[in-house]
């Protein structure tokens, strides 16, 4: 069955440090890949998405993600985090053509150390 | 500004009561979705609707019901048959119904059963 795994439940980084959040998926073909961010008590906002083409995808708020087919990964990165980046981050995988078939990971909570 | 509104933000329910969560969008999107979010878990799809007067069950539809009488509205009723309804509920919409369509989320409703 298709699945998406975010192995890190909680990560703490210092403000100004670089960030990488991991996401691994299980699917035979090339999936549609998404990263969403959720501030406390709020809905989710799309950071970036990958469907095809260049495997390095740029998103909003200075985030980027790289699709690596050989590793079944779609890790999210940011070169320098800001205190406002503290939130929960969800990786999601679309494995069929319908938007109702998007599978969300369990999320990674990011804390920022001053 | 276009967007999705959910009300109320917080909702308390006694056991055995039905409650209805509101979701309204002014994005002119065709498809709408209801997700349930529990701590440490990803989003799970409850119901979705791709067109007015039609809706489909998601992965965890038992104990929930919906209606789609208007394009902009997709209310969710949590019935007394739902065994563990305490959760954060998120409504989303997409312009189309494919996996490549960005999901836009409302701010959520936190339901607590007393």
């Amino acid at each position: 069955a298709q699945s998406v795994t975010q192995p890190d439940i909680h990560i703490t980084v210092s403000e100004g440090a670089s960030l990488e959040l991991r996401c691994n998926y299980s699917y035979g073909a090339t999936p549609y890949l998404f990263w969403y961010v959720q501030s406390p008590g709020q809905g989710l906002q799309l950071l970036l998405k990958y469907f095809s083409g260049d495997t390095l995808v740029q998103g909003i708020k200075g985030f980027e993600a790289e699709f690596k087919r050989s590793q079944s990964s779609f890790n999210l990165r940011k070169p320098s985090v800001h205190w406002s980046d503290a939130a929960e981050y969800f990786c999601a995988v679309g494995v069929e053509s319908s938007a109702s078939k998007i599978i969300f990971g369990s999320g990674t909570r990011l804390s920022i150390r001053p | 500004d276009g967007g999705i509104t959910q009300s109320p933000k917080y909702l308390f329910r006694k056991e055995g009561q039905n409650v209805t969560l509101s979701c309204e969008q002014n994005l002119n999107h065709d498809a709408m979705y209801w997700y349930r979010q529990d701590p440490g878990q990803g989003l799970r799809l409850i119901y979705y609707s791709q067109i007015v007067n039609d809706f489909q069950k998601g992965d965890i539809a038992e104990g929930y019901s919906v209606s789609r009488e208007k394009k902009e509205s997709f209310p969710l009723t949590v019935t007394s048959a739902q065994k563990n309804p305490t959760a954060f509920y998120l409504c989303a919409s997409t312009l189309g119904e494919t996996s490549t369509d960005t999901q836009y989320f409302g701010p959520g409703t936190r339901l607590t059963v007393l």
Side-chain angles (χ1 to χ4, degrees), chain A residues 9 32 34 36 38 40-46 49 51 88 90 94-107, chain B residues 9 33 35 37 40-45 48 50 59 88 90 94 96-108 110:
Chain A
I9 297 173
Y32 307 122
F34 309 83
Y36 285 87
Q38 183 182 33
Q42 299 296 317
L44 278 67
Q45 180 185 20
L46 180 70
K49 56 186 177 183
F51 301 143
E88 185 133 24
F90 291 91
V95 296
E96 296 181 23
S97 60
S98 171
S100 65
K101 300 299 182 184
I102 293 177
I103 301 170
F104 287 84
S106 55
Chain B
K9 188 172 178 64
Y33 312 82
Y35 291 94
Q37 185 178 22
Q41 298 190 36
L43 279 65
R44 292 182 290 168
L45 184 64
Y48 65 99
Q50 296 170 334
D59 301 320
F88 191 53
L90 288 163
T94 56
E97 55 173 285
T98 68
S99 288
T100 58
D101 286 292
T102 298
Q103 296 210 14
Y104 293 83
F105 286 84
R110 185 166 300 280

Side-chain angles (χ1 to χ4, degrees), chain A residues 13-58:
Chain A
V13 299
S14 297
E15 190 168 15
S18 63
L19 170 71
E20 183 168 28
L21 301 182
R22 296 184 290 166
C23 173
N24 294 96
Y25 66 90
S26 172
Y27 184 59
T30 300
Y32 307 122
L33 297 160
F34 309 83
W35 273 101
Y36 285 87
V37 61
Q38 183 182 33
S39 297
Q42 299 296 317
L44 278 67
Q45 180 185 20
L46 180 70
L47 285 175
L48 46 80
K49 56 186 177 183
Y50 171 79
F51 301 143
S52 63
D54 192 346
T55 57
L56 185 62
V57 181
Q58 301 298 321

Side-chain angles (χ1 to χ4, degrees), chain B:
Chain B
D1 287 339
I4 300 179
T5 57
Q6 291 186 242
S7 62
K9 188 172 178 64
Y10 298 97
L11 186 57
F12 298 90
R13 189 194 92 174
K14 293 182 180 178
E15 284 194 24
Q17 287 182 337
N18 293 353
V19 290
T20 297
L21 283 60
S22 170
C23 176
E24 304 276 333
Q25 56 99 356
N26 62 1
L27 300 168
N28 200 31
H29 283 178
D30 288 322
M32 297 185 73
Y33 312 82
W34 274 106
Y35 291 94
R36 172 181 170 136
Q37 185 178 22
D38 294 285
Q41 298 190 36
L43 279 65
R44 292 182 290 168
L45 184 64
I46 304 172
Y47 267 99
Y48 65 99
S49 169
Q50 296 170 334
I51 196 170
V52 174
N53 291 323
D54 187 45
F55 46 83
Q56 307 295 327
K57 292 182 179 180
D59 301 320
I60 55 165
E62 185 175 352
Y64 300 97
S65 65
V66 293
S67 63
R68 187 89 186 274
E69 297 177 0
K70 299 185 296 182
K71 185 176 183 178
E72 59 270 23
S73 178
F74 191 41
L76 173 75
T77 297
V78 184
T79 74
S80 57
Q82 169 49 235
K83 292 182 171 50
N84 184 21
T86 294
F88 191 53
Y89 291 87
L90 288 163
C91 179
S93 69
T94 56
L95 181 61
E97 55 173 285
T98 68
S99 288
T100 58
D101 286 292
T102 298
Q103 296 210 14
Y104 293 83
F105 286 84
T109 292
R110 185 166 300 280
L111 172 64
T112 302
V113 174
L114 303 174

Side-chain angles (χ1 to χ4, degrees), chain A residues 17 26 61 82 109 114:
Chain A
S26 172
K61 305 185 181 190
H82 185 262
R109 184 161 62 94

Side-chain angles (χ1 to χ4, degrees), chain A residues 55-75:
Chain A
T55 57
L56 185 62
V57 181
Q58 301 298 321
I60 62 171
K61 305 185 181 190
F63 285 93
E64 66 177 27
E66 186 172 13
F67 170 58
K68 292 186 177 180
R69 184 190 304 274
S70 61
Q71 298 176 18
S72 297
S73 70
F74 189 56
N75 294 350

